[in-house]
Amino acid sequence: MKMKVEIWSDVMCPFCYIGKRKFEAAMSKFTDAAGIELEWRSFQLDPTIESGHGKDLYQYLSERKGIPYEQAVQMNAQVATMAAAAGITFNPANAVVANSFDAHRLIHLAKKNNLGDEAEERLFKSYFTESKDFGDHAVLAQLGKEIGLDEASVQETLASDTYAKEVNADINEAQALGIRGVPFFVFDRKYAVSGAQASEIFLDVLNKSFAEWRKENPAAAFETIEGEVCTPDGECK
C-alpha cells in the first residue's frame, strides 16, 4: 500500500514541466520515495484551441491574452530561462500550438499500462524541446510507441473516443476541487501545492503528509500460523 500523490497538469504548460523537475528533485531526497504512488491527472488550459490553425505561440498568446506580440515573446523568453535552470530546453519560437485533448487520452492509455510518468515526460519533451504537433495522430502514435505502448493499441485509441470520458472526468474533478491553474499537486487528498514551487517545499509536504499517512496506515504485520521451524541457532522444533 502506498500514499498517492496526484498531479493535475497540461502537457502544453511550461510550469508543469518545470514543476515535474522540481518535484522529482524533492523525491530524490525523500527517504520514503518507494512508498509514493504517483498519478497524473488531466487538465486543459485552453480546450478551445483548434489544431492546425497555423499561428505561432507568440501570436496565439498575444490574441488570447490581449497583449502585444513583443510582450508574448518577452514572457516566453523569461519562461525559457526558468526552464533552463531546471535542466529543460524550451524552444517557444518553434512550438506548435494544438489542442492537447488527444495527448491526454494517450496518457490515460499509458496509465492503464503503468507508463503514465513515461508518457508525461515524453510528451513534455516532444512539445517544449522538439516542437512536435499534438494535433497529428501519427506524431502521438510514434510517441506512444517510443515509451513502450503497443502501436496498434495506440492507433486504435486515437482513432476513437476511448478515454475521452476519463479526461473529462479529471477536468471536472479539478473544477470540483477548486483547481484553477496547473500544475497542482495533491498529497493524500489532505495537502496541496499549487505551481512549480521550490523542491524544498515539495519535500516538506512529502515528509509531513507521509508521516501522517504512515500513522494511519502502519506497515502491515503478518498474521502467522505457527508450525515446526528451524532457527539460526540450530534448534528445530
Side-chain angles (χ1 to χ4, degrees):
M1 190 175 184
K2 298 183 179 183
M3 187 190 87
K4 181 176 287 190
V5 176
E6 299 161 278
I7 308 175
W8 269 266
S9 165
D10 192 350
V11 288
M12 294 172 65
C13 161
F15 290 114
C16 293
Y17 198 5
I18 295 170
K20 184 176 188 292
R21 284 290 180 270
K22 294 187 176 183
F23 180 78
E24 288 168 346
M27 284 287 285
S28 71
K29 299 177 182 178
F30 182 53
T31 56
D32 293 299
I36 298 297
E37 176 188 352
L38 189 63
E39 182 177 2
W40 290 91
R41 307 292 294 272
S42 297
F43 191 96
Q44 281 197 292
L45 291 171
D46 184 1
T48 68
I49 296 176
E50 293 184 8
S51 298
H53 52 65
K55 299 175 184 177
D56 64 27
L57 179 61
Y58 306 135
Q59 184 179 357
Y60 163 73
L61 290 174
S62 174
E63 294 178 0
R64 183 166 187 247
K65 294 179 176 293
I67 60 176
Y69 187 93
E70 294 73 18
Q71 185 177 346
V73 173
Q74 183 179 13
M75 285 171 49
N76 277 276
Q78 294 172 343
V79 174
T81 298
M82 294 177 62
I88 298 167
T89 300
F90 180 21
N91 296 313
N94 298 319
V96 180
V97 182
N99 196 294
S100 64
F101 193 85
D102 286 339
H104 283 293
R105 292 200 295 122
L106 176 61
I107 292 169
H108 275 274
L109 172 63
K111 284 168 58 174
K112 183 180 179 181
N113 290 272
N114 298 314
L115 292 169
D117 197 60
E118 289 82 356
E120 287 284 344
E121 179 63 30
R122 188 66 190 93
L123 286 164
F124 276 137
K125 183 178 181 181
S126 70
Y127 178 74
F128 290 104
T129 304
E130 301 170 351
S131 305
K132 300 291 187 181
D133 182 1
F134 288 165
D136 188 338
H137 281 185
V139 169
L140 292 177
Q142 177 60 33
L143 295 175
K145 182 180 177 181
E146 288 177 15
I147 65 171
L149 290 173
D150 176 70
E151 186 174 7
S153 179
V154 174
Q155 292 175 342
E156 182 180 348
T157 295
L158 294 173
S160 65
D161 64 352
T162 305
Y163 297 113
K165 289 182 179 179
E166 287 80 354
V167 174
N168 284 321
D170 280 354
I171 293 171
N172 291 336
E173 186 169 6
Q175 294 175 344
L177 292 172
I179 299 172
R180 296 292 177 262
V182 288
F184 197 89
F185 301 75
V186 177
F187 300 75
D188 194 32
R189 289 298 172 109
K190 288 186 177 181
Y191 299 96
V193 174
S194 177
Q197 301 283 354
S199 60
E200 292 78 11
I201 291 178
F202 285 121
L203 184 57
D204 286 345
V205 179
L206 279 166
N207 283 320
K208 182 177 182 179
S209 58
F210 190 81
E212 294 182 8
W213 178 86
R214 176 55 74 199
K215 183 178 290 187
E216 297 171 358
N217 300 273
F222 292 115
E223 183 176 321
T224 306
I225 299 175
E226 300 291 349
E228 292 79 8
V229 298
C230 292
T231 62
D233 60 9
E235 291 190 16
C236 292
K237 57 181 180 180

